[in-house]
């Protein structure tokens, strides 16, 4: 059975372009502003939406997403609210794939079975759990696949050919290639090195490959896509731009949604123009 | 492991790095190839006589091992009852047990061809030990330390700088040990090629908990021999303080299968476990996943990690090594707690009666010794791990005592 994620990548492939995957943290800066922002993303050109499940100790994230996570938690975000946000988003959008991204502990404490059931019911399509490598597949990956959710795995510059097989084994939806050895939003990816790795991965799987972790500008997005990526993920740059549109108390100003929508549009346009 | 070797408590971890349900390798994919190659290198080193010889030589001539097993006569008299011995790892070079592990890991780092060392530190004892071995072997060293801890452990910060380490203050979270560990892991992810991460306790992803335990087990192995020499038999009770649990595991592990020996780990009770302001992960937490392993954590009902509180920076960590979590569930080791106030009392008592200024960390263990010693007769032998000396704590203690006087 094809998932929403499979369908969306098939569409962008048919249109001859890479998919734009945008990341925001659930509940940043607060629940209602966050939902309004997420609802504006598809219209601005986002093909898939990654929603961060905030965690106090985001080990793989740089300062921008760390701060974003803490803002959300301080505003009272929790797993119940995150799943409810997805449910509300789904009331008006039944096509845009939603991928929840985060760390294992909040899921483990929520209860794995209950989480998978509620996430599926809310309209979640896939999971990216940073601290669940293939070595820990029996924890959540295999149950998630059984529950009908895609489990999207990270491949990194340290993943060699032998390791790649293991990484791909239970991966579904797409493969997320981490373009830098580092945390989110820090180093700048080298498009030609990324392109080599993307080809290597594509030689081993039919799954689409999306590239992220350091992509910040339309030009970078275009270069990564030109190197063969099926999708480009932009996160920290969006989160940083949100900061410019918050008042002193950390609430969204009226300009936030239009500003983010404009930025997302510029990214989408960069992926649509043929160079 | 628990299934195949039911008759031993010393068989863990299994191939997946698990002690029962605890432990594991919960890290980002970028780090997996690193921890797998570390595991391979460690397994090879473990059975290499050359590695052992080199480590033994350093332990003898650099650290000053074996550390004495000392009969604390005046405290024994003071408490009345059990005979109290200290395993004096505070006499080690650098002032705590942390050097035992650091020497092992830096030798391994060099075998693996790594050229840069990183570490996290709380009290600064581990940071000092890492900076020391990095200086000794000429490797650059970066130590992550929470801002709160930098403030309360100034002497150690200066020592690390003198030793040539770069100290990176960590402002995120509460600016304590957990945040320093997050930051060290982020550094590691960004410098996988050349960097070796020397974790300071029996936590983190497999193989760290087992490897650090093995390097610290020299404490228990020596204690065994020394107690046989002193008393002609094994001790009745072992007591050690627990931050992440490395000094405790080092003392306990060689004795785990001695059925008759009572083993007690003492967590930091902060202002009292009932107040919520403490660092007692086993007594006041529940199982979760953080820093690469499943273990008991201080957390809220949304799985968010909550802040630990302790007068002692070295115990101020919301988790505990996974093997302790397993020993707790299996009932082999009892875990109790001692409060800030009890530790401060024990600190002063030990200083005045034994002429030994203990670190605030083992002062927690001593506080518990004071509770149980009177329950037994003079033929009951207690060994407490005096795992660190208190020089680093004198300013913090002065401040606390000063506040008490004014209050
Ligand atoms: C003297 C001393 N004891 C104990 C600890 C706690 O660590 P562990 O529980 O791993 O021994 C520390 C940590 O900094 C320490 O400096």
């Amino acid at each position: 059975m094809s998932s929403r994620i499979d369908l969306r990548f098939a569409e962008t492939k048919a249109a001859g372009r890479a998919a734009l995957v945008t990341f925001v943290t659930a509940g940043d800066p607060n629940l209602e502003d966050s939902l309004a922002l997420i609802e504006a993303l598809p219209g601005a050109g986002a093909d898939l939406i990654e929603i961060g499940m905030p965690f106090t100790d985001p080990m793989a994230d740089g300062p921008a997403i760390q701060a974003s996570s803490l803002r959300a938690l301080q505003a009272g975000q929790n797993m119940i609210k995150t799943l409810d946000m997805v449910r509300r988003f789904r009331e008006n959008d039944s096509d845009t794939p939603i991928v929840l991204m985060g760390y294992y502990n909040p899921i483990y404490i929520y209860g794995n079975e209950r989480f998978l059931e509620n996430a599926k019911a809310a309209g979640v399509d896939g999971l990216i759990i940073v601290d669940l490598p293939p070595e820990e597949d029996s924890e959540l990956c295999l149950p998630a696949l059984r529950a009908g959710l895609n489990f999207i795995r990270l491949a990194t510059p340290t993943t060699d050919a032998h390791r790649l097989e293991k990484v791909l084994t239970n991966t579904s939806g797409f493969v997320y290639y981490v373009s830098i050895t580092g945390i989110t939003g820090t180093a700048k990816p080298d498009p030609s090195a990324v392109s080599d790795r993307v080809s290597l991965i594509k030689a081993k799987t039919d799954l689409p490959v999306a590239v992220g972790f350091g992509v910040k500008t339309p030009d970078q997005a275009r270069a990564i896509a030109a190197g063969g990526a099926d999708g480009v993920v932009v996160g920290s740059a969006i989160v940083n731009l949100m900061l410019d549109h918050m008042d002193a108390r950390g609430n969204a100003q009226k300009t936030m949604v239009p500003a983010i929508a404009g930025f997302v549009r510029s990214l989408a346009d960069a992926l649509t123009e043929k160079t | 492991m628990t299934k195949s070797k039911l008759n031993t408590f010393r068989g863990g971890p299994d191939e997946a790095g698990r002690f029962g349900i605890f432990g594991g390798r919960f890290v980002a994919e970028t780090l997996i190839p690193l921890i797998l190659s570390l595991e391979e290198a460690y397994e090879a080193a473990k059975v290499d006589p050359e590695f052992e010889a080199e480590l033994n030589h350093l332990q003898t001539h650099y650290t000053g091992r074996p550390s004495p097993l000392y009969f604390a006569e005046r405290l024994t008299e003071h408490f009345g009852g059990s005979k109290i011995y200290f395993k004096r790892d505070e006499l080690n070079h650098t002032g705590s047990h942390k050097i035992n592990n650091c020497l092992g890991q830096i030798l391994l780092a060099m075998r693996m061809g790594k050229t840069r060392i990183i570490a996290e530190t709380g009290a600064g004892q581990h940071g000092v030990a890492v900076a020391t071995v990095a200086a000794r072997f000429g490797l650059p060293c970066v130590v992550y330390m929470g801002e709160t801890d930098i403030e309360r452990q100034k002497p150690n910060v200066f020592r690390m700088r003198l030793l040539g380490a770069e100290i990176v203050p960590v402002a995120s979270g509460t600016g304590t040990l957990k945040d320093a560990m997050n930051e060290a892991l982020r550094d590691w992810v960004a410098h996988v090629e050349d960097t070796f991460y020397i974790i300071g306790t029996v936590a983190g992803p497999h193989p760290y908990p087992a490897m650090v335990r093995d390097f610290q087990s020299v404490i228990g192995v020596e204690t065994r021999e020394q107690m046989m020499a002193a008393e002609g038999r094994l001790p009745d009770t072992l007591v050690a303080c627990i931050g992440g649990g490395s000094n405790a595991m080092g003392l306990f592990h060689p004795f785990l299968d001695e059925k008759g020996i009572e083993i007690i780990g003492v967590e930091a009770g902060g202002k009292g476990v009932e107040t919520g302001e403490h660092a007692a992960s086993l007594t006041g937490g529940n199982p979760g996943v953080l820093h690469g392993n499943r273990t008991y954590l201080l957390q809220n009902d949304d799985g968010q990690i909550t802040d630990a509180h302790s007068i002692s920076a070295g115990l101020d960590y919301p988790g505990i090594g996974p093997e302790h979590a397993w020993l707790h569930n299996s009932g082999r080791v009892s875990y109790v707690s001692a409060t800030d106030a009890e530790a401060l009392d024990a600190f002063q008592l030990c200083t005045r009666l034994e002429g030994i200024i203990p670190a605030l960390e083992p002062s927690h263990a001593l506080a518990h010794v004071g509770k149980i010693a009177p329950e037994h007769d003079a033929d009951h032998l207690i060994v407490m791990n005096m795992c660190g000396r208190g020089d680093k704590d004198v300013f913090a203690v002065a401040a606390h005592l000063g506040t008490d006087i004014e209050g």
Side-chain angles (χ1 to χ4, degrees):
Chain A
M1 197 188 72
S2 289
S3 70
R4 264 191 211 105
I5 296 175
D6 299 336
L7 292 173
R8 181 50 53 95
F9 274 106
E11 276 169 36
T12 53
K13 187 174 184 184
R17 64 179 177 90
L20 176 62
V21 185
T22 54
F23 172 95
V24 290
T25 304
D28 175 25
N30 58 59
L31 184 61
E32 292 308 317
D33 288 334
S34 179
L35 180 61
L37 188 63
I38 288 166
E39 288 182 329
L41 292 172
D47 297 300
L48 288 89
I49 299 176
E50 263 179 37
I51 299 182
M53 299 173 279
F55 182 46
T56 39
D57 295 80
M59 273 160 9
D61 284 297
I65 293 178
Q66 286 173 43
S68 164
S69 242
L70 290 184
R71 277 195 301 275
L73 291 173
Q74 266 151 21
Q77 192 69 15
N78 59 29
M79 190 64 85
I80 295 171
K81 291 180 182 174
T82 298
L83 293 175
D84 195 53
M85 253 180 80
V86 176
R87 188 191 56 73
R88 287 170 67 191
F89 174 88
R90 275 278 168 257
E91 287 171 359
N92 304 307
D93 185 323
S94 47
D95 299 325
T96 307
I98 297 275
V99 174
L100 291 183
M101 178 160 183
Y103 298 81
Y104 184 36
N105 198 51
I107 295 174
Y108 181 68
I109 295 305
Y110 189 89
N112 289 356
E113 288 306 320
R114 173 178 168 231
F115 171 81
L116 293 173
E117 199 175 300
N118 295 0
K120 182 78 187 164
V124 172
D125 302 292
L127 303 174
I128 302 176
I129 311 301
V130 178
D131 52 355
L132 284 179
E135 277 67 14
E136 305 294 351
D137 267 0
S138 57
E139 291 279 333
L140 189 70
C141 172
L142 299 177
L145 297 178
R146 282 196 295 272
L149 290 166
N150 285 141
F151 201 85
I152 294 133
R153 188 90 66 192
L154 306 176
T156 74
T158 61
T159 312
D160 61 16
H162 173 68
R163 177 85 197 148
L164 186 58
E165 265 171 49
K166 192 154 188 178
V167 166
L168 292 174
T169 301
N170 291 316
T171 301
S172 63
F174 62 96
V175 181
Y176 189 136
Y177 181 65
V178 174
S179 60
I180 52 170
T181 46
I183 50 180
T184 53
T186 49
K188 216 167 103 180
D190 165 7
S192 85
V194 169
S195 177
D196 291 348
R197 301 300 299 232
V198 169
S199 324
L200 221 120
I201 298 171
K202 293 182 70 130
K204 297 270 190 212
T205 177
D206 293 333
L207 289 172
V209 179
V211 173
F213 260 51
V215 187
K216 292 191 179 108
T217 66
D219 283 344
Q220 282 176 333
R222 187 187 295 115
I224 297 284
D230 304 295
V232 179
V233 189
V234 180
S236 297
I238 294 177
V239 171
N240 275 330
L241 185 59
M242 287 170 64
L243 271 183
D244 297 342
H245 299 273
M246 286 183 202
D247 63 24
R249 291 173 48 232
N251 288 319
Q253 293 172 327
K254 282 203 182 62
T255 50
M256 181 186 280
V257 171
I260 299 296
F263 178 57
V264 169
R265 173 51 60 200
S266 70
L267 293 165
D269 287 346
L271 297 181
T272 310
E273 300 156 10
K274 281 284 165 188
T275 43
Chain B
M1 150 215 88
T2 45
K3 283 182 198 79
S4 59
K5 297 179 188 161
L6 266 178
N7 52 346
T8 177
F9 286 99
R10 306 181 65 224
D14 64 15
E15 264 150 46
R18 299 288 183 107
F19 302 90
I21 66 161
F22 300 104
R25 298 185 185 99
F26 297 92
V27 292
E29 177 61 29
T30 313
L31 293 180
I32 288 280
L34 284 158
I35 62 171
L36 293 178
S37 69
L38 172 61
E39 184 180 350
E40 204 178 301
Y42 177 56
E43 289 303 321
K46 227 166 46 174
V47 295
D48 180 349
E50 218 172 284
F51 183 81
E52 197 191 332
E54 202 176 353
L55 186 55
N56 282 345
H57 183 85
L58 285 164
Q59 282 174 342
T60 307
H61 300 281
Y62 194 65
T63 308
R65 300 212 73 90
S67 69
L69 183 70
Y70 165 76
F71 172 42
E73 197 173 345
R74 296 196 65 212
L75 274 170
T76 295
E77 210 172 283
H78 176 83
F79 290 134
S82 319
K83 206 167 170 185
I84 301 163
Y85 280 88
F86 289 164
K87 177 60 176 164
R88 296 201 56 193
D89 259 51
E90 105 279 11
L91 291 176
N92 293 343
H93 179 43
T94 74
S96 81
H97 66 293
K98 297 288 181 184
I99 190 89
N100 303 334
N101 166 49
C102 291
L103 281 173
Q105 287 200 48
I106 201 152
L107 290 184
L108 202 54
M110 289 186 301
R111 281 169 82 99
M112 293 177 74
K114 301 292 181 182
T115 54
R116 175 177 177 266
I117 299 295
I118 60 169
E120 84 295 337
T121 197
Q125 286 305 103
H126 175 57
V128 165
V130 173
T132 298
V133 299
R136 167 66 182 76
F137 291 100
L139 296 180
C141 167
V142 177
V143 178
Y144 290 89
M145 187 167 187
E147 281 185 343
T148 310
D149 290 340
I150 288 182
E151 195 47 46
R152 60 179 166 173
Q153 301 286 329
K154 282 189 188 130
N156 273 346
V157 174
F158 187 59
R159 284 167 82 196
M160 287 185 274
R161 292 206 167 112
L162 284 174
L163 288 159
E166 179 193 341
I167 313 300
V168 181
V170 179
S172 59
T174 40
T176 59
L177 187 50
K178 139 185 115 80
D179 310 295
M181 192 148 181
N182 286 331
E183 222 40 50
L185 284 163
R186 291 182 184 119
D187 176 310
W188 204 23
V189 170
H191 300 95
V192 290
E193 297 293 331
D194 62 347
T195 296
F196 190 101
Y197 180 14
I198 301 189
I199 293 184
T201 192
V202 285
H206 181 63
Y208 282 100
M211 178 173 72
V212 176
R213 172 200 71 200
D214 293 348
F215 288 141
Q216 290 293 359
S217 289
V218 64
I219 299 172
V221 169
E222 287 175 5
T223 299
R224 220 185 147 94
E225 284 170 19
Q226 291 167 323
M227 195 50 119
M228 290 305 291
E231 297 278 353
R233 67 180 183 90
L234 295 179
D236 299 297
T237 300
L238 305 174
V239 183
C241 68
I242 304 226
S246 69
N247 86 84
M249 198 51 82
L251 176 65
F252 298 170
H253 196 258
F255 293 101
L256 286 175
D257 285 338
E258 303 292 346
K259 297 265 154 40
I261 299 184
E262 174 191 38
I263 305 182
I264 305 171
V266 186
E267 298 191 289
K271 294 179 179 155
V273 174
E274 68 291 346
T275 67
E277 294 191 43
H278 60 83
S281 334
L282 287 178
T283 328
N286 51 304
V289 174
L290 180 72
H291 293 155
N293 65 92
R294 177 168 19 235
T295 189
Y296 278 76
L297 300 171
L298 302 180
Q299 54 185 326
N300 69 15
D301 58 11
D302 188 44
Q304 307 298 338
I305 309 305
T306 54
D307 300 330
H309 291 273
S310 172
I311 188 174
S312 141
L315 305 183
D316 211 341
Y317 180 68
I320 180 168
E323 192 166 10
H324 284 292
W326 178 70
L327 289 167
H328 169 69
N329 276 18
S330 70
R332 175 62 187 102
V333 177
S334 315
Y335 294 88
V336 299
S337 65
T339 64
D340 289 351
E342 289 169 334
L344 265 176
D345 286 347
F347 175 97
Q348 294 170 82
L349 192 66
C350 185
T351 303
R352 285 206 215 110
L353 290 185
E354 295 292 348
I356 295 172
I357 303 179
L360 281 170
E361 291 81 12
S363 298
H364 287 73
L366 184 58
H368 190 72
V369 168
K371 293 176 200 169
I372 60 170
E375 293 170 2
H376 303 279
D377 299 329
D379 61 357
H380 188 94
L381 306 176
I382 297 180
V383 176
M384 189 206 93
N385 198 6
M386 180 57 78
C387 57
R389 62 178 183 233
D391 309 38
K392 68 183 174 69
D393 293 315
V394 293
F395 296 103
V397 169
H400 279 282
L401 295 180
T403 316
D404 279 351
I405 290 163
E406 280 162 26

